[in-house]
Amino acid sequence: MGLPGTRLGAFRAYFFGYFVCTAGFLFGYDTGIVGGILEFKSYINDFGYKDQTTVSAVMVSLQNVGAFISALGIFWVSERCGRKKTIQAAMTVFCLGVVLQVIPSHSLVCFYIGRFVAGLGLGAGTAVVPAYNAEMAPKEIRGKLGSGMQWFFALGVMLSYWIDYAVKITLPVSSKQWQIPVGLQMVPAGVLALGLFGMPESVRWLAKKGRSDEAWESLKWMRASEGPEVKAEFNEIRVGLEEELRATEGFNKRELLEPANRYRLLLAVFMFCGQQCTGMTALAYFGPQFFKLLVGNNTNQSLLITGLFGAEKFITVGIYILFFSEMWGRKPTLWISALLMAGCFIIVTVVKETTPEPDAKATPAGIGMVAMIFLTNSIYQFSWGPLPWPYTAEIFPSRIREIGTSVAVSTQWLFNFLFSLVTRYMMNSWGSYVFLFYAILDIIMAIIVFFFVKETKGKSLEEMETIFHSKAAFDVDAVRRETLDVDEVNVHNKSVDYP
């Protein structure tokens, strides 16, 4: 599919889109290390606790609380300071939290504080990156680039699983065994923070702030061209922002309650709520513990299966993003996959409840259940894993995109917190019936998607106003044609030529 600009512009679009998704890698890596280090005797010895269920629930949920708070409030900072600086500040806070976790304090309180502080940085970063990515991506590949958050999340999960497994079997029981996996998080956070110094600020954020010359330079750099198609894209952005401003002069909270915006906010909340309701994030957090339910109480075996689970996650979401993300519609992909995942979970529950309990050795039933979980994971990586990230960033107008994406991602962290807090207790109380619980949620999600979700594949951000029947809707095709028919575009209805 052709992109506006040049081959260099296409390279920059892909490189930028996937580079900022390093925030997704951090999210995934942090998610994956938790279940592993909780199985380490070195971690238990250093912190001297016995109630593993409570410690694991608090360890995960505290970070999610910090992430929820920062994701919900970060849009004010992002709106004032810009996307780039906000992400850089978020990564700095995240690194501070990691330092508090790895210092040899032997205090769970200090470790918990570190988790909370790291959560503040992680939540802010994951809330701003989708909007930043959507505002810079060509519409032809916006879904592919936005889905990169889930691909990099899967990469982070996979690497964390294998690092946990490697230090478990190669290092003696010592503090280094858990400090190495935790401390390595600072590397990608530092790369993202420093790397953004060489990247441009968001085109739409600059244009919204009236910094038209900088906005044009940013778009020109991203597309590596200043040809007619790029000028048309810039004029479309400019006219779209003007129409939004004309439709609602002076932002106020009641604007969020306008029918079109209220509908979008509810969809955004649902999308990330649904992502957590699939049960796959709970599996990512507590993979070793889940697989012990299926294959017996063998720590090394469950860690190995978890590592393979992470590898499958990364491979399948990569296949989806590279080959299918711009081929399939968002809506059918979501509701069909929810029904398929529900079917897989029901099969797992039935097999688990009708076969003997496994011991430390693998059984045919255990292998079959693990295979079904792997199949469910593949379905998730082709749908609910990657799609909420681009969808919730693309449906909002520039005027409320910061608020919309912040609400969406904070919802993700809120339900992440709830499910991570209760999942260990559900596993202890319900056993395999926890899979049936998630199957019921998947069926409910499929029904909601079928009746209420709007299709957005292949539409520009400005065309979303028409899809959601906004008062700021305008004829995007007419504006694009008008721009292509002239040699020079007037940026602000003044005599300002493109550089």
Side-chain angles (χ1 to χ4, degrees), residues 149-213:
M149 280 291 286
Q150 182 64 21
W151 195 11
F152 277 63
F153 172 87
L155 176 61
V157 170
M158 179 187 71
L159 289 181
S160 69
Y161 287 162
W162 286 108
I163 289 173
D164 278 349
Y165 181 67
V167 297
K168 175 68 168 60
I169 64 174
T170 60
L171 295 181
V173 177
S174 65
S175 297
K176 290 181 180 179
Q177 199 177 49
W178 64 265
Q179 286 174 326
I180 290 174
V182 175
L184 283 174
Q185 295 175 98
M186 289 189 286
V187 176
V191 169
L192 178 57
L194 295 175
L196 283 178
F197 281 111
M199 301 294 175
E201 182 55 89
S202 163
V203 175
R204 286 173 173 83
W205 182 83
L206 290 169
K208 185 167 63 173
K209 293 298 180 181
R211 296 157 63 174
S212 300
D213 290 342

Side-chain angles (χ1 to χ4, degrees), residues 17-28 91 122 129 148-149 152-153 187-189 191-192:
Y18 289 136
F19 177 74
V20 296
C21 286
T22 303
F25 175 89
L26 282 173
F27 180 17
M91 293 302 100
L122 190 59
V129 163
M149 280 291 286
F152 277 63
F153 172 87
V187 176
V191 169
L192 178 57

